[in-house]
Amino acid sequence: MQRAVAYGASLPVEDDESRVDIELPVPLPGPHDLLVRVEAVAVNPVDCKRRNNDPGGRFKVLGWDAAGTVVAVGDEVHYAGGVDRPGTNESGC
């Protein structure tokens, strides 16, 4: 399991429930994926727009800009993920 920062509803950022710590299973990389141990993330306007325009429901992980280490080979990388996949605001790998 790994920890992640998520949100469940579009609440004001001052609200303690606007972001919560959750536990997620470690993702399994697909045939065209890399498993990256995330070491740093950034907040960009896409994060704010996605959170502010979400009707709520299940918890979602934001963050698409990250830097870290490819677990399988130890290479350091930085990348921007896709909004159609889970975000990068997770700790661990």
Side-chain angles (χ1 to χ4, degrees):
M1 297 295 276
Q2 63 183 354
R3 294 181 341 165
V5 178
Y7 73 101
S10 296
L11 300 170
V13 293
E14 298 83 13
D15 189 311
D16 288 341
E17 296 297 315
S18 67
R19 60 215 166 274
V20 295
D21 291 330
I22 63 171
E23 293 279 330
L24 295 172
V26 174
L28 297 173
H32 300 286
D33 295 333
L34 296 173
L35 182 59
V36 176
R37 180 178 298 110
V38 175
E39 296 162 6
V41 297
V43 176
N44 76 37
V46 173
D47 298 307
C48 299
K49 289 178 185 176
R50 294 283 297 210
R51 195 184 72 78
N52 288 337
N53 295 311
D54 194 315
R58 63 181 175 80
F59 285 115
K60 296 170 198 80
V61 179
L62 290 173
W64 287 276
D65 298 326
T69 304
V70 178
V71 174
V73 296
D75 289 345
E76 294 180 349
V77 294
H78 66 274
Y79 63 96
V83 295
D84 59 336
R85 301 188 76 173
T88 59
N89 292 351
E90 303 175 16
S91 63
C93 63

